[in-house]
Amino acid sequence: MQLCFDLAEPLARRTDPATSHAAARQAKELAADHQRAILACLEAHGALGKDGIAARTMLTGHAVGKRMAELQRMGLVMLTGRNVPSTAGRAEREWRRL
């Protein structure tokens, strides 16, 4: 599955050094890997909260949270409207694969 890193702003400016452009390309590849892992997790396990996805993908909750907004904008996931307990016992939103 071809995913693109969904950012409104470019990760490196045209005037940045080559090392910044290389880092930007690497960040895009990493984000796409995260997106694929999240989508596969939701496909395999059904609807989950951010922490549930993180636990099954070995990603951090913060990384999952960033990717969920991107995947939602891409029309690949959506909120279920339900809340589930986080690892800390607080309510978090539940996501499902489209």
Side-chain angles (χ1 to χ4, degrees):
M1 168 186 311
Q2 179 67 26
L3 296 176
C4 63
F5 192 52
D6 181 30
L7 280 180
E9 297 293 321
L11 294 176
R13 293 178 295 276
R14 196 175 26 154
T15 56
D16 285 346
T19 53
S20 293
H21 288 273
R25 280 190 301 279
Q26 188 176 25
K28 285 184 179 186
E29 292 168 11
L30 182 64
D33 288 345
H34 289 181
Q35 290 171 343
R36 281 188 285 278
I38 290 165
L39 292 173
C41 176
L42 291 173
E43 189 74 31
H45 300 285
L48 293 165
K50 170 185 65 67
D51 287 352
I53 296 167
R56 289 166 177 82
T57 59
M58 304 302 284
L59 298 172
T60 66
H62 177 74
V64 171
K66 290 182 72 159
R67 303 289 87 88
M68 297 315 291
E70 296 163 3
L71 292 168
Q72 185 178 34
R73 284 191 298 272
M74 295 165 73
L76 298 172
V77 300
M78 69 176 285
L79 291 165
T80 66
R82 293 186 297 265
N83 289 327
V84 295
S86 71
T87 54
R90 294 187 289 271
E92 66 180 19
R93 301 177 298 171
E94 183 182 60
W95 296 88
R96 74 175 182 93
R97 173 87 161 87
L98 291 177

